[in-house]
C-alpha cells in the first residue's frame, strides 16, 4: 500500500509536506527580494531626481523682484 502511494504521488506524505513548505518559503523569499529591490531602486531614483532638480536654476526673469 505504501509503495502504491509512493508510485502514485512521487514520495511519502512527509516528503511532500516538506517540499511544499520549501516551495512556499522560496516563493516568499523571491517576492520579498523583488519588493526590496523595487524599494531600493525607487529610493535611489527619488534622491537622484531631487538632486537633479536642486541643480537646476530658475530663469533670471523669475528672480527679478522689483
Amino acid at each position: 500500500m505504501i509503495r502504491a502511494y509512493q508510485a502514485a504521488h512521487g514520495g511519502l506524505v512527509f516528503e511532500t509536506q516538506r517540499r511544499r513548505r520549501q516551495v512556499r518559503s522560496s516563493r516568499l523569499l523571491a517576492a520579498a527580494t523583488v519588493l526590496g529591490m523595487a524599494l531600493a531602486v525607487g529610493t535611489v531614483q527619488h534622491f537622484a531626481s531631487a538632486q537633479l532638480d536642486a541643480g537646476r536654476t530658475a530663469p533670471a526673469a523669475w528672480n527679478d523682484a522689483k
Side-chain angles (χ1 to χ4, degrees):
M1 182 175 155
I2 293 174
R3 288 185 182 163
Y5 182 87
Q6 284 178 332
H9 299 284
L12 293 174
V13 176
F14 303 113
E15 290 176 10
T16 304
Q17 290 174 355
R18 189 179 134 265
R19 205 173 311 137
R20 285 182 190 153
R21 237 179 302 145
Q22 252 181 342
V23 167
R24 185 175 47 218
S25 68
S26 294
R27 288 181 182 163
L28 184 61
L29 181 61
T33 302
V34 168
L35 180 63
M37 287 300 296
L39 286 172
V41 167
T43 302
V44 169
Q45 187 175 7
H46 170 74
F47 284 115
S49 176
Q51 187 177 14
L52 191 72
D53 288 342
R56 293 183 186 158
T57 58
W62 293 2
N63 293 331
D64 265 346
K66 290 185 180 178

